[in-house]
């Protein structure tokens, strides 16, 4: 199958692959810069991006806003002129400040999900904008509102399905229907979203459960112009996570990939470990609030998701939450970004 470049307005990616944003600290400048240099779109996750700053526990949002600029600049130095994007969750506290920081720092494209990014056009500056949707209804709502209020349409639409990693835009029942009992086929929803995007003349990328070239070809055959891949890039030399975090993917078996209830109120996909056993046993790990997302209630949540994700990315796995995609168990070795990009482009 011939692979065509991805065009997003004035932007052009030689390989129609977007590296998914992974927080906390999994996809920063190292990974994003390497993917961009290899012809794809490298994406920095802004989720608690400033976690390494000594002042983070006291001033998390300020540290995050500073780190957005720092990481975009470092990614540019690696990218050799490639495309650098950022992923910013709508549920992020002070969301608009994060978007403005990314736009002011020169992000090429701002990708936004975990909620409907209704105000994105007015705060994104010159950056291209791409909402993440999981249904035709969500795209319809966003596109109609943007057209009426801003005379603007998305530059790209990313469809994120139920096989994705981390927080998921589906109920637990829907995830079960799509991935366990398989009483529903998510490809049917994808086709409807692509049809609407075609009417809008907006390119579509599909995300969730895409691990290899065959997965990509499946969605390109359906009419998508690109795919978004995240989990595959965790086990690369260039990934910004610790070696222990990467090894957890390599060691994982299919039965280790589980759906968990996140403290922020959404289901998520993760690798089963000792930390999840402690949470299931009723232990509480709430030690301060790092001002991450608006849907979390520190008074009732069993643990701080920021602390759990930071522990994991640093390699303290028994005290951490290891988010992953549905195919994490497929990882068998540490790869290079360039080898993966060659597989998806040849």
């Amino acid at each position: 199958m011939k692979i065509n470049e991805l065009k997003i307005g004035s932007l052009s990616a030689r390989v129609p692959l977007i590296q998914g944003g992974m927080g906390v600290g999994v996809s920063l400048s190292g990974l994003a810069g390497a993917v961009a240099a290899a012809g794809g779109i490298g994406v920095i996750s802004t989720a608690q991006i400033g976690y390494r700053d000594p002042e983070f526990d006291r001033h998390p949002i300020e540290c995050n806003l500073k780190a957005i600029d720092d990481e975009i600049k470092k990614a540019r130095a690696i990218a050799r002129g490639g495309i650098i994007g950022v992923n910013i969750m709508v549920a992020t506290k002070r969301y608009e400040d994060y978007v403005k920081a990314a736009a002011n720092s020169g992000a090429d494209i701002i990708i936004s999900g975990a909620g409907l990014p209704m105000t994105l056009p007015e705060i994104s500056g010159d950056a291209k904008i791409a909402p993440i949707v999981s249904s035709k209804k969500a795209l319809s709502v966003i596109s109609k509102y943007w057209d009426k209020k801003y005379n603007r349409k998305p530059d790209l639409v990313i469809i994120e399905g139920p096989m994705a990693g981390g927080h998921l835009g589906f109920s637990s029942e829907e995830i079960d229907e799509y991935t366990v009992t398989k009483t529903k086929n998510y490809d049917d929803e994808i086709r409807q979203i692509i049809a609407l995007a075609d009417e809008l003349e907006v390119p579509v990328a599909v995300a969730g459960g895409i691990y290899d070239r065959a997965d990509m070809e499946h969605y390109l055959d359906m009419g998508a112009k690109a795919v978004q891949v995240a989990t595959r890039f965790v086990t690369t030399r260039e990934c910004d996570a610790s070696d222990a975090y990467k090894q957890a993917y390599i060691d994982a078996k299919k039965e280790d990939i589980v759906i968990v209830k996140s403290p922020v109120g959404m289901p998520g996909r993760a690798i089963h470990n000792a930390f999840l056993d402690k949470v299931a046993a009723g232990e509480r790990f709430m030690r301060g609030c790092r001002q991450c997302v608006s849907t979390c209630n520190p008074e009732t949540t069993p643990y701080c998701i920021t602390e759990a994700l930071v522990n994991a990315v640093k390699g303290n796995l028994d005290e951490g939450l290891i988010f992953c995609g549905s195919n994490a168990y497929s990882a068998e070795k540490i790869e290079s970004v360039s080898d993966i990009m060659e597989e998806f482009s040849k």
Side-chain angles (χ1 to χ4, degrees):
M1 179 181 187
K2 185 178 184 296
I3 301 299
N4 298 315
E5 65 182 2
L6 170 63
K7 290 186 177 296
I8 309 171
S10 58
L11 301 177
S12 180
R14 179 177 57 82
V15 185
L17 184 151
I18 302 160
Q19 162 252 310
M22 295 174 281
V24 171
V26 179
S27 64
L28 298 177
S29 56
L31 178 56
V35 172
I41 297 178
V43 177
I44 296 166
S45 169
T46 68
Q48 303 298 60
I49 189 173
Y51 77 95
R52 293 175 293 192
D53 192 300
E55 293 295 307
F56 178 73
D57 282 344
R58 292 199 303 160
H59 305 290
I61 293 177
E62 290 76 11
C63 291
N64 288 337
L65 295 176
K66 178 180 181 297
I68 288 172
D69 186 62
D70 292 343
E71 290 296 323
I72 289 176
K73 286 178 179 175
K74 287 192 287 186
R76 286 262 179 245
I78 300 168
R80 300 201 296 263
I83 302 170
I84 297 295
V86 295
N87 182 298
I88 307 174
M89 297 186 296
V90 177
T92 302
K93 289 187 178 180
R94 288 176 53 182
Y95 166 74
E96 294 189 354
D97 289 336
Y98 283 68
V99 172
K100 290 174 183 177
N104 291 338
S105 297
D108 293 311
I109 183 168
I110 295 172
I111 297 167
S112 204
L116 301 182
M118 306 306 283
T119 62
L120 187 56
E122 70 178 286
I123 55 178
S124 53
D126 295 330
K128 306 297 184 194
I129 50 178
I132 298 174
V133 301
S134 297
S135 67
K136 178 184 176 182
K137 180 180 179 181
L139 177 56
S140 179
V141 169
I142 292 168
S143 60
K144 288 177 181 178
Y145 184 85
W146 284 9
D147 179 58
K148 182 177 180 180
K149 183 159 181 133
Y150 305 112
N151 190 28
R152 181 82 186 267
K153 63 182 180 181
D155 296 295
L156 172 74
V157 170
I158 297 176
I159 305 171
E160 191 165 279
M163 302 291 280
H167 289 124
L168 303 169
F170 300 86
S171 68
S172 297
E173 292 74 20
E174 287 174 324
I175 295 168
D176 187 69
E177 289 171 338
Y178 284 124
T179 67
V180 181
T181 64
K182 298 186 178 179
T183 53
K184 290 184 178 180
N185 185 348
Y186 191 67
D187 279 1
D188 295 336
E189 187 72 35
I190 291 174
R191 290 186 182 94
Q192 293 183 49
I193 300 172
I194 289 176
L196 176 56
D198 285 346
E199 291 178 16
L200 298 170
E201 298 183 326
V202 174
V204 167
V206 177
I210 299 165
Y211 198 83
D212 58 24
R213 173 64 180 256
D215 295 330
M216 178 176 73
E217 290 187 359
H218 172 73
Y219 293 111
L220 296 185
D221 282 341
M222 287 174 60
K225 303 301 182 186
V227 292
Q228 179 175 282
V229 179
T231 291
R232 179 74 182 272
F233 287 106
V234 171
T235 50
T236 59
R237 299 179 188 90
E238 297 88 348
C239 177
D240 298 276
S242 67
D243 289 343
Y245 189 96
K246 299 173 188 181
Q247 191 62 42
Y249 277 53
I250 294 172
D251 293 341
K253 299 178 176 61
K254 187 174 184 178
E255 58 268 27
D256 295 327
I257 312 302
V258 297
I259 299 297
V260 300
K261 183 179 179 181
S262 163
V264 305
M266 294 179 252
R269 182 170 278 111
I271 296 175
H272 181 265
N273 66 347
F275 175 74
L276 290 178
D277 286 338
K278 294 173 187 176
V279 172
E283 292 191 45
R284 192 165 188 266
F285 303 91
M286 192 63 202
R287 295 180 284 264
C289 177
R290 278 77 172 185
Q291 301 295 311
C292 58
V293 296
S294 56
T295 53
C296 179
N297 182 354
E299 299 299 320
T300 58
T301 187
Y303 62 92
C304 171
I305 193 165
T306 290
E307 182 178 359
L309 291 172
V310 168
N311 284 342
V313 78
K314 287 182 174 179
N316 181 12
L317 303 184
D318 286 346
E319 299 295 330
L321 176 63
I322 312 168
F323 271 159
C324 70
S326 57
N327 288 323
Y329 66 91
S330 298
E332 297 178 344
K333 62 183 179 180
I334 299 297
E335 303 179 272
S336 69
V337 164
S338 60
D339 288 342
I340 293 173
M341 295 300 291
E342 182 179 356
E343 173 190 331
F344 278 87
S345 63
K346 64 185 179 181

